[in-house]
Amino acid sequence: MAIDLKSDWTAADVSALLASVEDDRSWRLEVSADGLARLNDLSTVPDTAYEEALHCFFEIWDQGTDFVGPGAACDKSLCNKIERILRENYPALKGARTLSAL
């Protein structure tokens, strides 16, 4: 699942994104150059070329930390925070390409 940041979207879409995966591995929230926010399974570490092609990405959410999955999807505070951070950093970055804001 992905959120198209160029369209109308809300914290409910963030909740659906978080609910679309299980907290059974490490994940990273990424925003592609074309404005799609998605969770990347970090079972395979991306190479430098992949990362440089991204608009930005957030810190890694390690397995078992409850930043993804059904529990995270129900956390309105977390979903609102992610919504705010995505809006602040797309289309223009507020800070560095690697964001550690959660």
Side-chain angles (χ1 to χ4, degrees), residues 2-62:
I3 301 171
D4 184 350
L5 301 181
K6 297 177 305 301
S7 67
D8 291 333
W9 60 277
T10 67
D13 296 303
V14 173
S15 177
L17 177 65
L18 295 178
S20 72
V21 300
E22 294 294 324
D23 191 15
D24 60 353
R25 65 195 78 183
S26 295
W27 297 92
R28 182 172 69 182
L29 178 61
E30 301 176 344
V31 178
S32 66
D34 59 350
L36 295 178
R38 64 174 50 105
L39 293 167
N40 184 29
D41 173 359
L42 289 181
S43 297
T44 305
V45 178
D47 62 21
T48 304
Y50 173 83
E51 290 189 344
E52 288 177 356
L54 295 172
H55 175 71
C56 66
F57 56 89
F58 295 81
E59 72 267 18
I60 296 169
W61 296 329
D62 290 324

